[in-house]
């Protein structure tokens, strides 16, 4: 399995602007620190759909734009590389945090989330096989994940700048467990509607098998989105400022 390559349309990471005051902070010594983190993560994420955050140079999570993503062939039924361009991912800012743990010694965070609907819309290019059937085409793809539970682990390094410590997130691991995945690839087989509908139906009837085979590629994509956004947020406030 190869990891997808990603090029994000993100703004410069080096903005010195602060976090918006509407983002909550937690004190490491407060007795309800864990609950505070959970609330702050929830509250902060829910705000990421607002263009007003442009003033703070924080990119919207709604939608997340990804210029290019390549989801590699699986090792099972999905014998095709999925080339995506000009993607918009919608719904991520609506994630509900179920747990949020920050391990200062291990320099890692773990959280579990639930999101009822995530939509991915991209220009696609495919040429290969799925479930032994040929699949080929180029057009617009929409992929919808319903009722998805996610487990995320991110690791960071501490970077000192002007006597302050900043978290720089360096790796992420995401596990996604959707209750349904719906695929629609428009214009398969040069627009042959019957063949195209057939393949889309086969994909949707076998969504679990198909998704499981490319889970790691999609997880990597989501993990990169988390890393990018967390790096922007955490570049705006030192750990001392965030935590006391
Ligand atoms: C975040 O918390 C602030 C302050 O408690 C509150 O005013 C705001 O409505 C919350 N925003 C969201 C999106 O939950
Ligand atoms: C998703 O969850 C909602 C609310 O619990 C439920 O009504 C719906 O049937 C679920 N959909 C799937 C595909 O599991």
């Amino acid at each position: 399995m190869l990891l997808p390559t990603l090029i994000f349309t993100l703004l410069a990471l080096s903005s010195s602007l602060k976090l918006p005051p509407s983002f909550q902070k937690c004190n490491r010594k407060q007795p309800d620190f864990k609950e505070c983190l959970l609330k702050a993560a929830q509250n902060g994420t829910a705000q990421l759909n607002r263009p007003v955050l442009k003033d703070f140079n924080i990119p919207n999570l709604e939608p997340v734009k990804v210029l290019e993503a390549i989801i590699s062939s699986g090792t099972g039924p999905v014998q095709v590389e999925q080339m995506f361009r000009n993607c918009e991912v919608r719904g991520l800012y609506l994630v509900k945090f179920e747990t949020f743990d920050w391990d200062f010694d291990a320099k890692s965070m773990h959280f579990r989330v639930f999101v009822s609907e995530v939509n991915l819309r991209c220009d696609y290019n495919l040429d290969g096989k799925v479930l032994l059937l040929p699949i080929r085409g180029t057009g617009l793809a929409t992929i919808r994940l319903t009722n998805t539970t996610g487990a995320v682990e991110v690791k960071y390094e501490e970077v000192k700048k002007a006597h302050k410590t900043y978290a720089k997130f360096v790796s992420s691991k995401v596990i996604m467990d959707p209750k349904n995945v719906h695929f629609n690839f428009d214009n398969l087989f040069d627009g042959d509607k019957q063949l195209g509908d057939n393949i889309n139906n086969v994909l949707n009837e076998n969504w679990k098998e198909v998704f499981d085979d490319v889970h790691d590629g999609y997880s990597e994509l989501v993990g990169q989105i988390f890393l990018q956004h967390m790096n922007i947020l955490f570049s705006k406030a030192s750990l001392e400022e965030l935590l006391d």
Side-chain angles (χ1 to χ4, degrees):
M1 182 219 29
L2 292 169
L3 300 177
T5 55
L6 300 170
I7 305 162
F8 284 85
T9 53
L10 288 183
L11 311 160
L13 282 173
S14 56
S15 165
S16 60
L17 284 165
K18 295 283 179 202
L19 275 181
S22 57
F23 280 63
Q24 298 170 353
K25 295 177 181 177
C26 298
N27 186 322
R28 212 194 288 214
K29 291 183 198 100
Q30 72 191 79
D32 61 346
F33 176 63
K34 254 182 103 151
E35 292 78 42
C36 179
L37 274 183
L38 183 63
K39 278 197 198 135
Q42 186 68 66
N43 184 292
T45 308
Q47 293 179 46
L48 292 178
N49 66 334
R50 285 196 276 135
V52 67
L53 298 180
K54 270 207 177 90
D55 298 345
F56 294 88
N57 216 1
I58 294 178
N60 254 344
L61 261 189
E62 185 70 356
V64 175
K65 295 189 177 178
V66 181
L67 275 189
E68 185 174 83
I70 300 170
I71 310 289
S72 303
S73 285
T75 55
V78 184
Q79 295 299 315
V80 58
E81 195 176 69
Q82 303 172 60
M83 311 264 294
F84 292 126
R85 280 181 205 281
N86 305 318
C87 296
E88 289 193 355
V89 187
R90 291 183 183 270
L92 285 178
Y93 80 102
L94 290 171
V95 297
K96 293 279 170 265
F97 284 83
E98 291 174 346
T99 62
F100 193 107
D101 291 302
W102 187 340
D103 185 331
F104 295 101
D105 297 325
K107 300 190 182 66
S108 67
M109 295 177 188
H110 289 80
F111 39 95
R112 273 198 299 113
V113 293
F114 173 83
V115 58
S116 56
E117 189 170 313
V118 176
N119 285 288
L120 185 75
R121 194 173 187 278
C122 306
D123 296 329
Y124 79 89
N125 191 348
L126 294 176
D127 189 0
K129 283 190 174 173
V130 171
L131 298 152
L132 304 177
L133 299 170
I135 184 167
R136 171 176 61 78
T138 179
L140 182 69
T142 50
I143 300 170
R144 184 178 64 238
L145 277 68
T146 307
N147 294 352
T148 304
T149 307
V152 181
E153 179 187 357
V154 288
K155 295 198 174 196
Y156 62 93
E157 290 167 358
E158 290 180 355
V159 178
K160 298 268 183 205
K161 253 187 285 179
H163 305 294
K164 287 182 178 164
T165 317
Y166 290 84
K168 176 172 180 278
F169 291 86
V170 292
S171 70
S172 62
K173 199 158 64 184
V174 177
I175 296 170
M176 290 190 284
D177 185 13
K179 288 290 171 294
N180 185 257
V181 182
H182 185 268
F183 299 93
N184 186 62
F185 292 95
D186 268 359
N187 198 51
L188 284 168
F189 307 105
D190 304 315
D192 183 324
K193 185 159 162 41
Q194 199 180 347
L195 273 180
D197 287 353
N198 274 344
I199 285 287
N200 278 311
N201 286 342
V202 169
L203 289 175
N204 290 319
E205 277 160 19
N206 299 280
W207 69 267
K208 189 152 180 49
E209 224 182 318
V210 171
F211 184 76
D212 283 351
D213 201 29
V214 289
H215 169 272
D216 293 352
Y218 283 94
S219 291
E220 177 69 15
L221 175 61
V222 172
Q224 293 291 339
I225 291 170
F226 269 114
L227 279 188
Q228 292 275 358
H229 280 79
M230 289 180 77
N231 271 327
I232 291 172
L233 293 174
F234 280 81
S235 70
K236 291 173 180 297
S238 67
L239 296 181
E240 290 85 357
E241 287 167 281
L242 282 173
L243 298 164
D244 285 330

